[in-house]
Amino acid sequence: MNLYLLRHGIAVAGDEPGIESDGERPLTAKGIKRMRKAAKGLRRLGIVFDAILTSPLVRARQTAEIVAEVLSLESQLQEISGLAPESSVENLLFGLARFQNREHLLLVGHQPLLGDTAAFLLHGKDRPRLDIALKKGGICGIEIDSLPPGKPGTLQWLLAPKQLRLLATRAAKP
Amino acid sequence: MNLYLLRHGIAVAGDEPGIESDGERPLTAKGIKRMRKAAKGLRRLGIVFDAILTSPLVRARQTAEIVAEVLSLESQLQEISGLAPESSVENLLFGLARFQNREHLLLVGHQPLLGDTAAFLLHGKDRPRLDIALKKGGICGIEIDSLPPGKPGTLQWLLAPKQLRLLATRAAKP
């Protein structure tokens, strides 16, 4: 099966007026615009996600909603607490157990949890440091044998947000 | 600085008539066509390579030539023995020392040497197993602090050949 780890888009700062907690921070106007374009790029990859799972925080939830809308997969969207920033890799994998019969799971969340999860999936329990650039709006695809994984998975691809947006736009005439 | 590891395109089988050694295997017609398209996708990323270094084997040399031509960087192309299949990560890095003042180095070569090099650059000397899907015509970008690297680098992106080709083609109307 395949897990896809998508980091939320650009959100407003925590000290903006009206923002009372980190969990309430929404995407900025630019963040929404860029995420929408990135989602169109993601659509070109042709992956049919069985489920879109998101952290309950507003910036992640909004990111997941944009992707679900662009891919016409609104009915697949659900929040899981295992993707919240205060969660852990073990907690997240525990929460994913009920999705183990799915083929393509999209997870929308935060750093460093997503990067730690990628390192765990690629390395197993040893988990040496692995520095993957998962920028805001960036995504990677990891193939694993089962959930929880029995052996280290394979990093299939890692797309920077700019590359996702490029996929959505027309190439200039050669 | 940034190292980009590009695996050669699809080559003819070793038992084709007229092929006397592994090093002589050229790209297939399909391999050439796909590689040309992938190179156009690579061009959209806007990276100005300071040098395009290739394994001396025909299939790698041809791949590098296609990229150099599409990017108008023919003068930057050179063969280095450190990228040959029988080389090692240590030998390759030794051979790269004279390029240490460059910013963007494209390396065109073979598996498993490129994957081993990626694992070394991302992990340092410990080098646990790291499974990165570097398909024929696939490429990854790794940022390192110096050459030879003083600390583990960062995987910036990893593009499957199909994704490179998608970058080269027009998106369907949304």
Side-chain angles (χ1 to χ4, degrees):
Chain A
M1 71 178 297
N2 296 276
L3 296 182
Y4 305 90
L5 314 184
L6 171 65
R7 188 173 172 202
H8 65 80
I10 303 165
V12 304
D15 56 2
E16 287 274 313
I19 304 296
E20 301 202 344
S21 74
D22 178 63
E24 287 177 22
R25 295 198 284 128
L27 299 183
T28 63
K30 183 179 170 184
I32 291 171
K33 193 177 165 185
R34 287 191 168 186
M35 202 61 234
R36 181 165 292 277
K37 200 163 185 178
K40 289 178 182 171
L42 187 58
R43 186 174 59 192
R44 288 198 74 206
L45 300 184
I47 306 159
V48 183
F49 299 110
D50 302 301
I52 299 178
L53 308 178
T54 179
S55 146
L57 271 57
V58 170
R59 58 190 182 277
R61 171 93 204 185
Q62 274 188 302
T63 299
E65 282 169 353
I66 290 170
V67 171
E69 188 199 329
V70 170
L71 274 64
S72 303
L73 291 172
E74 289 95 335
S75 62
Q76 306 299 335
L77 181 64
Q78 53 184 296
E79 283 179 15
I80 61 168
S81 62
L83 278 164
E86 67 272 18
S87 178
S88 64
V89 175
E90 290 73 14
N91 192 30
L92 171 57
L93 290 179
F94 183 78
L96 291 181
R98 64 193 165 104
F99 299 96
Q100 62 192 353
N101 59 341
R102 312 294 177 97
E103 276 302 301
H104 300 280
L105 273 188
L106 178 61
L107 312 181
V108 185
H110 310 266
Q111 279 291 58
L113 179 60
L114 291 183
D116 290 347
T117 302
F120 179 86
L121 295 172
L122 295 171
H123 283 139
K125 286 187 180 169
D126 301 342
R127 242 195 289 182
R129 185 173 177 279
L130 176 64
D131 201 357
I132 289 184
L134 203 57
K135 294 178 183 169
K136 286 168 187 161
I139 184 171
C140 68
I142 297 173
E143 188 174 6
I144 54 175
D145 60 341
S146 61
L147 200 60
K151 57 179 184 179
T154 303
L155 183 65
Q156 294 292 336
W157 44 263
L158 165 66
L159 289 169
K162 191 183 168 188
Q163 295 172 331
L164 270 181
R165 296 198 302 274
L166 269 179
L167 273 172
T169 56
R170 183 177 294 194
K173 271 268 180 200
Chain B
M1 71 178 297
N2 296 276
L3 295 182
Y4 305 89
L5 313 184
L6 171 64
R7 187 174 173 201
H8 66 79
I10 302 164
V12 304
D15 55 3
E16 287 275 313
I19 303 296
E20 300 202 343
S21 73
D22 177 64
E24 287 177 21
R25 293 198 286 129
L27 299 184
T28 62
K30 184 179 170 185
I32 290 171
K33 192 177 166 187
R34 286 191 169 187
M35 202 61 234
R36 180 167 292 277
K37 200 162 184 178
K40 288 178 183 171
L42 188 57
R43 186 173 59 192
R44 288 198 75 206
L45 300 183
I47 305 160
V48 182
F49 299 110
D50 302 303
I52 299 178
L53 308 178
T54 179
S55 145
L57 271 56
V58 170
R59 58 191 183 277
R61 171 93 203 185
Q62 274 187 302
T63 300
E65 281 170 352
I66 289 168
V67 171
E69 187 199 330
V70 169
L71 274 65
S72 303
L73 290 173
E74 288 96 333
S75 62
Q76 306 299 333
L77 181 63
Q78 52 185 297
E79 281 178 17
I80 61 168
S81 60
L83 278 164
E86 68 272 18
S87 178
S88 64
V89 175
E90 291 72 15
N91 192 29
L92 171 57
L93 290 179
F94 183 79
L96 291 180
R98 64 193 166 103
F99 299 97
Q100 61 191 354
N101 59 341
R102 311 294 176 97
E103 275 302 301
H104 300 281
L105 274 188
L106 178 60
L107 311 182
V108 185
H110 310 266
Q111 280 291 58
L113 180 60
L114 291 183
D116 290 347
T117 303
F120 179 86
L121 294 172
L122 295 171
H123 283 140
K125 285 186 181 169
D126 301 341
R127 244 195 289 180
R129 185 173 177 279
L130 177 64
D131 201 358
I132 289 184
L134 204 57
K135 294 178 183 168
K136 286 169 188 162
I139 185 170
C140 69
I142 296 173
E143 186 173 9
I144 54 175
D145 61 339
S146 61
L147 201 60
K151 58 178 183 181
T154 302
L155 183 65
Q156 294 291 335
W157 44 264
L158 165 66
L159 289 169
K162 191 182 168 189
Q163 295 172 333
L164 270 181
R165 296 197 302 273
L166 269 179
L167 274 172
T169 56
R170 182 176 296 189
K173 272 269 179 197

